[in-house]
Amino acid sequence: MATDQVLTGSAPAGESGPAGASSAAAEPQRARVSRLPSLTGLRFPAALAVFAHHAFLPIPPLRLLADDRTEFRLFRWFDQAGGLGVSFFFVLSGFVLTWSARDTDTTTGFWRRRFVKIYPNYVVAWVLAMVLFASPYTSTHVAVSNLFMVQVWVPSYFTNFSVDSPSWSLAVEAIFYLGFPLLLAVLRRVDPRHLKYWITGAIAAVWATPAVAYALFPKTPLVPSGQNLSVPAYWFSYVLPPVRMVDFALGILVALAVRHGRWRNIGMIPSFLLLAGGYWLTYHVPYLYGQRAAMIIPIVLVIAAAATADVEGRFTPFRNRAMVWLGEISFAFYLLHYTVLSWLRKELGTEMYSTAAGISMLVGAAVGTVVLSWVLYSVVEAPLVRRFSRPRRAKTA
């Protein structure tokens, strides 16, 4: 891939960019577009990818299919879907928070909005997981570390992915949110003409991370999920918050490039084709490279293409009312799906099922999770965001 061409962005000020508008004119246009509904709509497919990854994990607490051949084929197909979804969310968070950042906002105001939006849902999901399936095999200190979002700071597989397993990524995101005001202030000072070099450097850092993990970390103990991979290497490359901060910073840099008209958009269809190619590449590189690196450039391209389409008012299949609604409840879906899958397996006992019956149950679990997510969004997330996300002075006014 000609990375420099993709990252170069529009021509220098005064010259015509890809849309025929000058860079100087592009910035006001982008500044006026504060909402990017296609990016909201894209959140649900990313969450669904994580659901598919967990649905076909061949482990006793989740597995439904009796046929080994089918089970392991599906596991192979969706093994890296979780990494795709998580990396997408990390980059997307940096992009969206940068795009919607207010010049008049305060650090405490930003932190309050993030806390109100994220933590109440997180606590509800934690309680449901503990009550429905996790408490019998979760120690008190692991449960408490999960509740307070510190489970990602030790190289322990069963601590990192404890209670509600997907919640580890929210513990990582919490660090992103704490650092975002300072990080944005620093990256905003980068000359827009130099953003392409910073973006290239961030992508290079993502690719370098698994190389460091394989080279420097011990080869044992192995992760229990079947890969020939050590727990410390996996923790460093995939879980550790300062390492994953690179994904988040990449989203910030790309948002700044799009906003300043320094991004050469290749369009949504080519971006998704490259994403499919990146996913295919995960089958042909060492596991840790597949978790993030193989898909990082296509992820960036998809996010930037969707945002650009919204800015320019062009059609995307993710901007319709249904997709935006699914995107709005996708955070709740992400938090609840593992609990639904685990509870379903627990209630069914040890019986295994035919492929048709098992997949039908998984489809039902996905639909049920959507319904529960809508309830959680409507009863907890949306009301609390409306009530507490604005400062008291604004409410009084």
Side-chain angles (χ1 to χ4, degrees), residues 33-313:
V33 180
S34 60
R35 298 184 63 83
L36 301 173
S38 293
L39 293 187
T40 302
L42 275 168
R43 293 178 60 87
F44 185 74
L48 199 59
V50 180
F51 175 94
H53 166 71
H54 289 132
F56 298 112
L57 281 177
I59 58 176
L62 294 175
R63 180 176 174 177
L64 294 175
L65 304 188
D67 182 63
D68 285 341
R69 183 176 179 182
T70 302
E71 175 71 24
F72 283 96
R73 179 186 294 120
L74 291 170
F75 167 64
R76 175 66 172 158
W77 288 354
F78 294 103
D79 187 23
Q80 294 288 12
L84 167 61
V86 169
S87 297
F88 182 90
F89 281 126
F90 285 172
V91 177
L92 182 67
S93 291
F95 189 103
V96 170
L97 290 178
T98 301
W99 194 271
S100 60
R102 311 168 186 173
D103 292 335
T104 58
D105 200 8
T106 63
T107 296
T108 54
F110 169 78
W111 285 340
R112 182 184 61 253
R113 290 196 303 275
R114 288 290 93 195
F115 180 85
V116 168
K117 182 172 178 62
I118 299 302
Y119 197 64
N121 274 14
Y122 183 93
V123 171
V124 171
W126 181 89
V127 170
L128 288 174
M130 289 295 292
V131 169
L132 294 176
F133 72 93
S135 58
Y137 55 81
T138 304
S139 65
T140 300
H141 79 275
V142 169
V144 172
S145 71
N146 192 288
L147 176 61
F148 289 99
M149 292 183 156
V150 295
Q151 73 270 35
V152 293
W153 290 99
V154 293
S156 169
Y157 190 90
F158 291 110
T159 300
N160 301 152
F161 305 103
S162 54
V163 188
D164 180 25
S165 180
S167 67
W168 73 270
S169 67
L170 275 302
V172 175
E173 290 258 15
I175 303 304
F176 298 168
Y177 301 151
L178 286 174
F180 175 71
L182 176 60
L183 189 59
L184 179 62
V186 170
L187 295 181
R188 272 179 166 172
R189 300 171 74 91
V190 175
D191 187 326
R193 296 171 298 176
H194 298 158
L195 285 169
K196 61 182 178 182
Y197 304 119
W198 284 71
I199 292 170
T200 302
I203 291 171
V206 170
W207 273 91
T209 301
V212 172
Y214 281 124
L216 299 183
F217 284 82
K219 308 303 180 185
T220 57
L222 296 179
V223 297
S225 54
Q227 291 82 16
N228 185 22
L229 177 68
S230 77
V231 170
Y234 185 69
W235 170 75
F236 172 79
S237 181
Y238 189 65
V239 176
L240 186 61
V243 172
R244 296 311 300 261
M245 184 74 80
V246 178
D247 307 53
F248 182 70
L250 180 58
I252 295 174
L253 290 165
V254 173
L256 292 173
V258 174
R259 184 177 287 279
H260 286 292
R262 306 300 304 184
W263 184 265
R264 191 177 299 279
N265 179 39
I266 68 170
M268 294 196 68
I269 293 177
S271 297
F272 274 105
L273 289 175
L274 286 173
L275 184 61
Y279 196 82
W280 172 86
L281 184 61
T282 65
Y283 294 103
H284 303 280
V285 295
Y287 186 80
L288 286 180
Y289 287 95
Q291 287 275 273
R292 292 169 67 201
M295 297 176 285
I296 194 67
I297 292 176
I299 285 171
V300 165
L301 293 172
V302 166
I303 291 172
T308 303
D310 281 350
V311 167
E312 297 175 353

Side-chain angles (χ1 to χ4, degrees), residues 44 48 51 333 337 340-341 344 359-373:
F44 185 74
L48 199 59
F51 175 94
F333 182 93
H337 78 272
V340 171
L341 291 171
L344 177 63
I359 291 179
S360 297
M361 290 179 185
L362 292 174
V363 171
V367 173
T369 306
V370 167
V371 174
L372 292 174
S373 302

Side-chain angles (χ1 to χ4, degrees), residues 308-339:
T308 303
D310 281 350
V311 167
E312 297 175 353
R314 291 185 283 107
F315 168 81
T316 81
F318 306 102
R319 200 164 58 226
N320 60 75
R321 183 177 299 180
M323 289 303 301
V324 171
W325 178 78
L326 287 170
E328 288 173 345
I329 68 168
S330 63
F331 172 51
F333 182 93
Y334 181 84
L335 282 174
L336 295 178
H337 78 272
Y338 191 87
T339 295

Side-chain angles (χ1 to χ4, degrees), residues 363-388:
V363 171
V367 173
T369 306
V370 167
V371 174
L372 292 174
S373 302
W374 171 64
V375 173
L376 181 58
Y377 174 80
S378 301
V379 174
V380 177
E381 182 180 339
L384 287 177
V385 167
R386 285 195 300 267
R387 174 67 178 82
F388 294 106

